Amino acid sequence: QCGKRIEEKLGDQMDFINLKSDPRVDLTQYDCVILGGSIYIGRIQKEITKFALENLKILNNKKVGLFICCLKDGEEAKTELETAFPDALLEHATAKDYFGGQVTFQKLNFLERLIMKKVAKTDHDICNILNDKIDHFVHLLKSEDVTPLN
């Protein structure tokens, strides 16, 4: 959902690619690359990690935006962001942030529902997408004179 909002803000300037279904991306055709995913049991999707590590040299020569979606906030979410991507890529990124998260309880399997009940102490849908953070993230990426988020 957050990726779709970024896509709406950037319009024609963006190709939305799902690394699970299309892991081979020719980065040479892009000036800016946005990598993002959700945190699940403390980790971002393995496809994101693999892509970031395999393309680190190329990514460090482009404008980069990094984001995560998670149900945590504040320092906990910042820590999740910092562990999701390689340090060199985090340091290089023009924009990096967490955008909150969303859980549709009905879509979870039995084990996932059990974990949500224990960890998040909830048995219902959660939606805390932080649209203002997404808007600021896109603004930073569009800006020529950028100041990275802290």
Side-chain angles (χ1 to χ4, degrees), residues 1 4 7 28 32 43 46 55 59 63-65 73 81 84 89 111 119 125 128 136 142 149:
Q1 186 175 354
K4 292 293 184 187
E7 184 178 30
T28 61
C32 178
R43 295 181 182 256
K46 65 182 177 222
N55 293 286
L59 291 167
K63 185 183 273 191
V64 173
D73 59 8
L81 176 66
L89 194 56
L111 183 57
V119 176
D125 294 352
N128 69 338
H136 184 69
K142 283 181 162 182
L149 290 173

Side-chain angles (χ1 to χ4, degrees), residues 1-60:
Q1 186 175 354
C2 295
K4 292 293 184 187
R5 180 158 175 103
I6 293 169
E7 184 178 30
E8 288 170 12
K9 292 280 185 186
L10 292 174
D12 297 356
Q13 303 170 8
M14 181 175 168
D15 292 333
F16 191 90
I17 300 168
N18 182 334
L19 292 176
K20 281 187 176 187
S21 58
D22 192 6
R24 303 247 181 245
V25 179
D26 178 12
L27 292 175
T28 61
Q29 61 183 321
Y30 301 103
D31 296 324
C32 178
V33 177
I34 301 169
L35 282 176
S38 57
I39 300 299
Y40 181 74
I41 310 176
R43 295 181 182 256
I44 199 163
Q45 292 87 352
K46 65 182 177 222
E47 293 85 0
I48 304 290
T49 302
K50 182 179 178 186
F51 184 84
L53 290 171
E54 288 178 353
N55 293 286
L56 189 57
K57 187 174 180 177
I58 296 167
L59 291 167
N60 277 328

